[in-house]
């Protein structure tokens, strides 16, 4: 099941209070790296000059570096490596703690874990891990019982590689072949390989520079994929016929406008490949008939600004999830299969304000949709023939509900997963006809977990404009709510993505040490509907930042913590949030963790050669063409608003081969913070020199990165960090 894909004038902050007092015992002061050279670069836009002293940290050959990290210029490499050494030195006192944290988190991980098998025809497909293994194994076994076949041995394939990440595995409709895609640099350029099922050796043909998606033709003799352009944008769909040269692959569809990205998937029926062409506001869908030898993509409806839709097919009918006709929180319409215009659409599930329809899938007899209302998810089942509906919902204050993988179309069995902040993940099979639930798996915590020892709550903070912002909270039952506990506050608030209150086993390493953990469901996400997203983007982006600060202060007023004892964390666009609140309310935070932070917003949005810039103008605004957008972004862009003031300790994390948030954004930000701040810190930069946006892909090496963040949080909460 797919969600609709979604692929900033800041108010002047109050004068910062004095920095939180440090504990008496402080580690010895460590010398920061030699300040980087300042080479002013001044450009003029809309009659205004913007100057950037650290623009040189962006390598001229950054595109080459994505594919070949060793090509990074020596001067820049020296800067990043010096910063890594300084960060390691500052964090040296918690080296033992980091090892303990890894041990704890690994102890909550079932090392030989396995998915619940998903049936498809005569086979059951699933992923599993070997004990101690970093990477998954894609496997299958006969549905009626028999010996397991290892189709793709990720552990064996990744052995000895500094980076290895499998994006997708896809078996052919006749089950005779497996196509799989993997990235070996962290730059999200995936190579597709093909092998006969049950054999370890791949065929000769290899398809490079793809986005990793794979769709098979119905006859199992060809596959479709998306090629990336030189600016790392998915822009073409090709058809590869097995046994032919990749150089002769047939171009199926091309999008020449860099504003639009292509996404490729397959409908649940298996009859169509779906090409979605989208930016952050508008989308269109073209269908490829996978049963034909050389089909041409057929557009379902005309492209209309700010209208999005997603498609499922059922016999001679299309179900379309859309926000057309003012359906802000989306509706579902139906149309003839051969529809080419929205004039043939008829409402099936009407729009209901405040009930956001987040996704849908059509099965042979049922239409399934996911919704979110009042901040909580649910699954709704509709019998197609009769129109009868019923919902699957739960009673906890805060929880997460996700649909699992279902490979078949002609089935009455739906798979879903449930968890809450205190309840580990449960996998259920649900018979849509009989409404019978069968528990297939409960997440095992080998070191033990007792939900009764913890408390989860949902409260609301009032933001600057009177808006009520939900907060999900987790703490140990024994933790006193008297204002003395440190608090770990998570936020994102962009692209319409919600931050769901699902089970996170790692966080208990902080919660068991007396931290309160909280999620701020701030505007910019869709936690309270699509308008919640619209109220946190473009000219309203600063609502996101005010909401987060309001949540932190409200949690202090309610004695979950105290101002100055909040450690905040956010990644990617959530890292931009971290940079903004550091500028606006530094006194509120004991520490800030910004993972791959999008902090150089103005410079990035002014550069249309960067991978994500043109499509993201519809999230942030186009400062090249629009002076108002320029002024708005300049007013809050974290890098551009660093000032002479106190800053709390900050840990910024980057990835050298990250194509989404390029490595120089956190690097420049750290350099500017150190050059402008009057007190506080330390300001740390850790760059993963062998990975990209998602960090290390191995499940245990990733724990080492989490341990650094948690150790930093513990030191910050105890005021044990010193520049």
């Amino acid at each position: 099941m797919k969600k609709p894909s979604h692929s900033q004038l800041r108010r002047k902050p109050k004068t910062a209070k004095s920095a939180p007092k440090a504990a008496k015992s402080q580690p010895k002061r460590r010398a920061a790296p030699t300040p980087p050279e300042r080479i002013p670069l001044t450009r003029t836009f809309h009659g205004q000059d913007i100057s950037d002293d650290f623009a040189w940290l962006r390598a001229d050959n950054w595109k080459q570096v994505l594919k070949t990290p060793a090509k990074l210029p020596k001067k820049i490499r020296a800067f990043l490596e010096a910063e890594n050494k300084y960060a390691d030195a500052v964090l040296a006192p918690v080296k033992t703690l980091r090892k303990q944290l890894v041990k704890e988190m690994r102890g909550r991980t079932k090392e030989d874990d396995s998915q619940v098998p998903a049936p498809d025809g005569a086979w059951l497909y699933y992923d599993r891990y070997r004990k101690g293994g970093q990477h998954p194994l894609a496997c299958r076994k006969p549905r009626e019982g028999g010996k397991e076949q290892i189709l793709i041995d990720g552990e064996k394939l990744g052995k000895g590689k500094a980076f290895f990440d499998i994006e997708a595995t896809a078996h052919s409709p006749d089950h005779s072949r497996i196509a799989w895609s993997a990235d070996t640099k962290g730059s999200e350029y995936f190579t597709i390989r093909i092998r006969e099922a049950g054999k370890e050796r791949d065929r000769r043909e290899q398809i490079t520079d793809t986005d990793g998606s794979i769709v098979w033709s119905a006859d199992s003799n060809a596959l479709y994929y998306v090629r990336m352009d030189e600016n790392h944008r998915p822009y073409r769909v090709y058809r590869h016929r097995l046994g032919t040269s990749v150089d002769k692959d047939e171009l199926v569809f091309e999008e020449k406008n860099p504003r639009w990205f292509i996404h490729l998937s397959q409908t649940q029926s298996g009859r169509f490949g779906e090409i979605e062409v989208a930016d952050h506001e508008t989308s269109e869908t073209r269908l490829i008939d996978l049963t034909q030898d050389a089909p041409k993509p057929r557009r379902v409806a005309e492209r209309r600004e700010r209208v999005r839709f997603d498609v499922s097919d059922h016999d001679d009918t299309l179900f379309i999830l859309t926000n057309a006709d003012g359906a802000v929180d989306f509706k579902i319409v139906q149309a003839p299969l051969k529809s080419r215009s929205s004039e043939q659409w008829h409402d099936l599930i009407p729009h209901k304000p405040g009930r956001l329809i987040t996704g849908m899938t059509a099965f042979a007899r049922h239409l399934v949709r996911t919704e979110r209302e009042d901040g909580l998810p649910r699954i709704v089942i509709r019998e197609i023939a009769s129109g009868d509906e019923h919902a699957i919902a739960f009673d906890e204050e805060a929880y997460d509900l996700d649909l699992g993988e279902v490979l078949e179309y002609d089935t009455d069995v739906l798979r879903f997963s449930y968890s809450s902040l205190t309840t580990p993940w449960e996998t259920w099979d649900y018979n849509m006809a009989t409404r019978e639930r069968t528990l297939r798996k409960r997440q095992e915590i080998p070191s033990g977990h007792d939900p009764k020892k913890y408390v989860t709550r949902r409260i609301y903070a009032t933001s600057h404009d009177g808006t009520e912002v939900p907060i999900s909270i987790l703490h140990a039952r024994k933790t006193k709510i008297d204002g003395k506990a440190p608090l770990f506050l998570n936020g994102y608030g962009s692209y319409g993505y919600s931050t769901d209150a699902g089970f996170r086993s790692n966080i208990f390493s902080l919660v068991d040490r007396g931290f309160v953990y909280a999620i701020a469901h701030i505007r910019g996400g869709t936690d309270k509907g699509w308008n919640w997203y619209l109220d946190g983007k473009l000219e309203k982006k600063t609502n996101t930042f005010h909401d987060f600060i309001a949540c932190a202060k409200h949690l202090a007023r309610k004695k979950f913590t105290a101002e100055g004892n909040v450690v905040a964390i956010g990644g990617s666009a959530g890292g931009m949030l971290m940079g903004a609140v550091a500028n606006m309310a530094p006194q509120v935070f004991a520490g800030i963790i910004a993972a791959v932070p999008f902090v150089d917003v103005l410079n990035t949005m002014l550069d249309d050669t960067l991978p994500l810039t043109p499509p993201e103008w519809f999230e942030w605004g186009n400062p090249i063409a629009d002076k108002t957008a320029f002024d708005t972004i300049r007013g809050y862009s974290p890098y551009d608003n660093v000032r002479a003031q106190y800053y709390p300790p900050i840990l910024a994390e980057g990835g050298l081969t990250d194509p989404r948030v390029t490595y120089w954004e956190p690097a420049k930000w750290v350099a500017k913070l150190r050059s402008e701040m009057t007190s506080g810190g330390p300001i740390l930069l850790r760059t993963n020199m062998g990975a990209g946006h998602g960090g290390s892909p191995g499940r245990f090496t990733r724990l080492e990165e989490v341990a650094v963040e948690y150790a930093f949080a513990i030191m910050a909460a105890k005021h044990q960090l010193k520049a």
Side-chain angles (χ1 to χ4, degrees):
M1 175 170 295
K2 300 191 310 177
K3 296 179 180 179
S5 56
H6 308 306
S7 297
Q8 290 173 357
L9 199 69
R10 179 176 56 79
R11 294 189 179 186
K12 186 176 180 181
K14 297 178 180 178
T15 303
K17 299 177 183 177
S18 58
K21 292 183 179 180
K24 288 184 178 179
S25 62
Q26 290 281 0
K28 196 172 182 180
R29 182 179 293 271
R30 298 165 185 82
T34 302
E37 186 177 3
R38 303 179 75 139
I39 307 175
L41 173 67
T42 301
R43 299 178 295 162
T44 302
F45 295 90
H46 307 290
Q48 300 181 48
D49 291 340
I50 57 171
S51 183
D52 188 353
D53 289 349
F54 303 108
W56 65 269
L57 285 168
R58 167 183 162 159
D60 291 337
N61 67 335
W62 64 268
K63 296 177 188 178
Q64 188 180 28
V65 172
L66 286 179
K67 293 186 176 183
T68 311
K71 297 291 185 179
L72 183 70
K74 292 181 180 180
K75 183 178 178 180
I76 299 173
R77 182 177 293 277
F79 170 80
L80 298 178
E81 290 177 345
E83 288 291 340
N84 282 347
K85 289 180 181 178
Y86 173 58
D88 287 344
V90 172
L91 297 173
V94 289
K95 189 174 183 179
T96 300
L97 173 61
R98 285 161 56 182
K99 291 181 180 179
Q100 178 61 32
L101 289 167
V102 170
K103 182 179 179 181
E104 290 173 10
M105 291 186 287
R106 188 161 180 167
R108 299 187 197 101
T109 304
K110 181 174 172 55
E111 296 207 4
D112 57 350
D113 204 4
S114 178
Q115 287 180 332
V116 177
D120 189 15
W123 296 92
L124 298 171
Y125 289 88
Y126 56 98
D127 288 350
R128 67 173 178 86
Y129 285 92
R130 292 192 181 96
K131 189 172 183 178
Q134 294 271 23
H135 304 288
L137 284 63
C139 306
R140 73 179 182 185
K141 56 186 176 183
R143 193 167 187 165
E144 301 303 321
K147 186 178 179 181
E148 174 188 82
Q149 290 183 1
I150 297 176
L151 302 171
I152 303 294
D153 190 334
E155 186 64 18
K156 184 176 180 180
L157 291 165
K159 187 175 182 180
K161 292 182 173 64
F163 186 96
F164 181 75
D165 181 33
I166 294 178
E167 173 70 4
T169 59
H171 58 271
S172 60
D174 67 0
H175 304 277
S176 67
R177 299 183 176 100
I178 306 296
W180 61 286
S181 58
D183 172 18
T184 58
K185 296 290 190 301
S187 56
E188 299 179 48
Y189 281 109
F190 295 92
T191 297
I192 297 173
R193 297 173 174 86
I194 307 159
R195 63 176 58 179
E196 306 302 316
K199 295 187 177 180
E200 291 190 26
R201 182 174 296 179
D202 295 315
R203 297 167 63 100
R204 287 186 178 182
E205 58 255 62
Q206 294 186 5
I207 308 170
T208 61
D209 297 343
T210 82
D211 74 344
S213 56
I214 302 164
V215 171
W216 281 96
S217 63
D219 65 6
S220 303
N221 289 321
L223 56 82
Y224 296 83
Y225 63 91
V226 177
R227 180 84 72 178
M228 312 288 281
D229 70 8
E230 61 179 7
N231 286 324
H232 205 280
R233 296 169 183 153
Y235 77 125
R236 285 177 175 173
V237 176
Y238 284 92
R239 180 190 303 108
H240 173 71
R241 299 182 186 276
L242 271 61
T244 65
S245 171
V246 173
D247 294 338
K248 295 181 180 179
D249 284 357
E250 305 156 61
L251 178 63
V252 175
F253 178 77
E254 179 178 17
E255 178 54 61
K256 295 181 179 180
N257 188 333
R259 162 186 166 181
W260 303 90
F261 276 17
I262 291 174
H263 308 277
L264 179 66
S265 60
Q266 187 173 349
T267 62
Q268 186 70 32
S269 71
R271 181 177 173 184
F272 296 103
E274 182 179 352
I275 301 173
E276 181 191 48
V277 187
D279 60 22
H280 291 289
E281 289 191 330
T282 307
S283 71
E284 72 171 23
T285 294
R286 296 169 188 260
L287 296 178
I288 307 170
D289 190 333
L290 300 175
T291 67
Q292 296 181 8
D293 181 54
K296 292 183 179 180
R298 180 178 63 81
R299 191 171 69 177
V300 171
E302 66 280 3
R303 190 180 300 188
R304 288 188 283 164
E305 288 294 321
R306 294 183 174 85
V307 173
R308 306 186 60 84
F309 57 91
D310 190 21
V311 174
S312 284
D313 64 293
H314 180 266
D315 296 333
D316 293 328
T317 298
L318 290 178
F319 296 116
I320 302 170
L321 175 61
T322 182
N323 63 345
D325 308 316
V328 176
D329 286 317
F330 290 79
K331 63 180 179 178
I332 297 177
V333 303
Q334 64 183 55
L337 179 62
K338 295 183 179 180
S339 168
R340 294 179 179 270
S341 170
S342 58
E343 293 178 0
Q344 296 176 281
W345 294 1
H346 303 283
D347 286 5
L348 180 69
I349 312 296
H351 174 243
K352 178 184 175 183
R355 178 200 64 187
L356 177 65
I357 303 177
T358 57
M360 64 154 192
T361 291
F363 293 92
R365 288 167 291 281
H366 300 90
L367 178 65
V368 179
R369 69 180 187 267
T370 52
E371 302 178 344
R372 186 178 296 111
E373 190 168 16
D374 296 326
L376 292 175
R378 63 171 167 258
I379 300 169
V380 181
I381 314 296
R382 181 186 182 93
E383 187 178 63
I384 294 174
S386 67
D388 291 342
E389 290 189 353
H390 66 278
I392 306 173
F394 293 82
D395 298 326
E396 289 191 78
E397 284 189 51
Y399 61 86
D400 192 13
L401 194 60
D402 291 330
L403 289 175
E405 184 177 39
V406 179
L407 299 177
E408 296 182 315
Y409 172 68
D410 188 3
T411 180
D412 289 330
V413 179
L414 180 72
R415 179 162 295 166
F416 69 87
S417 297
Y418 169 83
S419 80
S420 73
L421 290 173
T422 59
T423 306
W425 285 99
E426 298 172 345
T427 301
W428 293 82
D429 277 354
Y430 181 78
N431 190 301
M432 296 181 281
T434 67
R435 306 189 185 186
E436 179 184 4
R437 299 186 190 187
T438 303
L439 179 63
R440 297 298 307 277
K441 179 182 178 181
R442 180 174 284 118
Q443 182 182 358
E444 183 179 337
I445 309 296
S447 60
H449 174 75
D450 183 359
K452 295 179 182 178
K453 292 183 178 181
Y454 304 95
V455 175
T456 181
R457 293 187 58 191
R458 175 163 291 209
I459 64 174
Y460 291 83
T462 302
S463 194
H464 68 292
D465 58 357
T467 300
E468 296 292 295
V469 182
I471 309 171
S472 297
I473 300 170
L474 169 70
H475 63 83
R477 195 170 293 278
K478 66 181 181 181
T479 298
K480 293 182 180 180
I481 306 303
D482 57 3
K484 296 180 180 179
L487 186 133
F488 196 62
L489 183 60
N490 184 11
Y492 187 74
S494 290
Y495 302 118
Y497 293 144
S498 62
T499 305
D500 296 313
F503 189 77
R504 297 160 169 82
S505 64
N506 292 340
I507 200 64
F508 290 94
S509 285
L510 290 182
V511 171
D512 288 344
R513 285 177 168 81
F515 274 77
V516 174
Y517 174 63
I519 302 169
H521 301 281
I522 51 184
R523 280 175 283 186
T526 52
D527 305 70
K528 292 178 70 175
W530 197 257
N531 273 324
W532 200 246
Y533 167 49
L534 299 179
D535 281 346
K537 65 179 294 192
L538 296 170
E539 73 280 359
K540 298 180 180 180
K541 188 61 213 171
T542 53
N543 286 336
T544 303
F545 316 141
H546 287 295
D547 287 359
F548 190 82
I549 294 167
C551 288
K553 291 183 175 182
H554 184 72
L555 287 161
R557 283 194 296 270
K558 293 297 183 181
K559 302 298 184 182
F560 288 99
T561 189
E563 286 195 36
N565 208 21
V566 177
V567 179
I569 185 169
S572 195
M576 175 191 62
L577 168 69
M578 296 298 102
V581 301
N583 289 332
M584 295 168 67
Q587 73 282 356
V588 173
F589 303 100
I592 288 176
I593 302 168
V596 289
F598 177 38
V599 284
D600 195 13
V601 185
L602 183 59
N603 284 314
T604 295
M605 289 298 104
L606 286 169
D607 186 350
D608 60 7
T609 69
L610 292 173
L612 296 182
T613 293
E616 297 219 345
W617 286 331
F618 300 90
E619 182 75 16
W620 320 109
N622 182 351
I624 299 174
D626 183 352
K627 183 181 184 302
T628 299
F630 177 91
D631 292 339
T632 300
I633 295 172
R634 192 178 194 183
Y636 71 76
S637 175
Y639 181 68
D640 296 279
N641 286 277
V642 170
R643 66 194 67 181
Q645 65 174 7
Y646 162 80
Y647 280 93
I650 293 175
L651 172 62
E653 300 172 300
L656 181 59
T657 56
D658 187 347
R660 298 173 184 257
V661 179
T662 48
Y663 74 85
W664 60 82
E665 293 214 17
K668 289 171 56 179
W669 182 48
V670 164
K672 190 169 184 179
L673 281 165
R674 288 221 198 98
S675 69
E676 299 292 336
M677 61 191 287
T678 57
S679 62
I683 309 298
L684 308 182
L685 172 66
R686 297 183 84 246
T687 304
N688 191 325
M689 305 298 283
H693 198 65
S696 298
R699 58 177 178 157
F700 298 131
T701 52
R702 174 58 188 151
L703 293 181
E704 295 173 8
E705 297 174 347
V706 176
V708 170
E709 296 172 348
Y710 286 5
F712 174 89
I714 292 168
M715 292 182 76
K718 293 180 178 180
H719 304 297
Q720 292 178 344
L721 285 161
K722 197 172 183 68

